[in-house]
Amino acid sequence: MTLMVLGKENNVDNTGMRFDKQARNALAFVTLRADGECEFMFFHHPSADMLLTEAELDTDLIQKSTIFHYGSIRSILSYDPNLRLPLWPSPEAARKGILRIWDQADVIKISEDEIMFLTGGDDPYDDKVVLTKLFHTNLNVDTTGAGEAFVGGLLLNLAKNTQLFKRCIEVYKYLWGHYSHREMSDSIIAF
């Protein structure tokens, strides 16, 4: 069963889907290491997503969206860096690519490893690291480490009630302007 058919059966609007007759979808093979961490191997040269052009994007559809995961035009921008170094030409290219759109995101799901990578090895459990090196005023931070399930639930509820998201932004802007970074980190953890 294709992803398109499965989506249709579950009332997913797939009008923005594009197909490439010359390329296949990328494949990711995931194994669980003995230490419990995931290890990834990719088959992707060249995959259809790498050949997508700007002209193929349905910008009207994107502008009508409530949430667009990855990029945004008048939507809530949710971003998951999903760091997979084998997919980048170099670690520096990965860091630059991720940080290039970082400040545009409203919600970012990030792992401890990604925090360490982006900050040059800083302690991912030190709230000051996130607040001083990665935080920006439009950002809501998931420090729970719950990953995709948390972000999926969060985005579902934000899509149902965009006023909730707007209120969160107002609260964070107020806190950012009125409290110390330590007090801010306590409020982010509570979020």
Side-chain angles (χ1 to χ4, degrees):
M1 178 177 295
T2 67
L3 184 60
M4 186 178 97
V5 172
L6 185 62
K8 271 189 176 179
E9 289 177 357
N10 289 280
N11 299 318
V12 174
D13 180 355
N14 61 11
T15 55
M17 253 181 157
R18 300 291 178 260
F19 296 90
D20 190 312
K21 293 179 182 180
Q22 306 303 314
R24 305 242 185 238
N25 288 334
L27 296 174
F29 299 93
V30 185
T31 57
L32 194 60
R33 297 187 319 217
D35 64 1
E37 292 296 319
C38 292
E39 190 166 86
F40 300 88
M41 184 175 73
F42 300 93
F43 176 76
H44 64 95
H45 288 292
S47 56
D49 60 314
M50 296 170 76
L51 302 174
L52 184 66
T53 66
E54 186 177 340
E56 293 175 296
L57 294 177
D58 184 344
T59 56
D60 290 335
L61 181 64
I62 294 169
Q63 289 176 340
K64 292 176 190 172
S65 68
T66 302
I67 296 174
F68 181 71
H69 189 68
Y70 187 78
S72 175
I73 302 171
R74 293 187 216 133
S75 301
I76 296 168
L77 171 57
S78 168
Y79 180 52
D80 180 351
N82 213 5
L83 179 64
R84 304 292 182 257
L85 285 176
L87 297 177
W88 293 90
S90 69
E92 187 55 33
R95 187 175 290 105
K96 284 181 181 177
I98 290 168
L99 293 176
R100 185 180 69 236
I101 63 168
W102 187 268
D103 288 344
Q104 304 305 309
D106 299 302
V107 177
I108 297 176
K109 180 259 178 196
I110 188 168
S111 70
E112 291 90 350
D113 289 343
E114 289 164 342
I115 292 171
M116 289 176 60
F117 175 77
L118 292 172
T119 62
D122 289 344
D123 180 0
Y125 300 103
D126 183 347
D127 296 334
K128 286 185 269 185
V129 168
V130 173
L131 287 171
T132 59
K133 293 192 173 184
L134 299 176
F135 186 78
H136 62 81
T137 56
N138 291 333
L139 184 61
N140 290 290
V141 180
D142 164 20
T143 58
T144 65
E148 281 79 6
F150 175 84
V151 172
L154 175 67
L155 294 177
L156 173 66
N157 284 287
L158 290 176
K160 288 180 180 177
N161 182 359
T162 57
Q163 292 304 313
L164 173 65
F165 177 76
K166 291 174 184 171
R167 183 67 184 132
C168 286
I169 293 297
E170 290 171 10
V171 168
Y172 278 105
K173 284 182 179 179
Y174 174 82
L175 291 172
W176 189 256
H178 291 87
Y179 294 96
S180 69
H181 284 178
R182 178 70 224 160
E183 292 165 319
M184 272 293 293
S185 68
D186 290 341
S187 68
I188 289 170
I189 290 169
F191 175 73

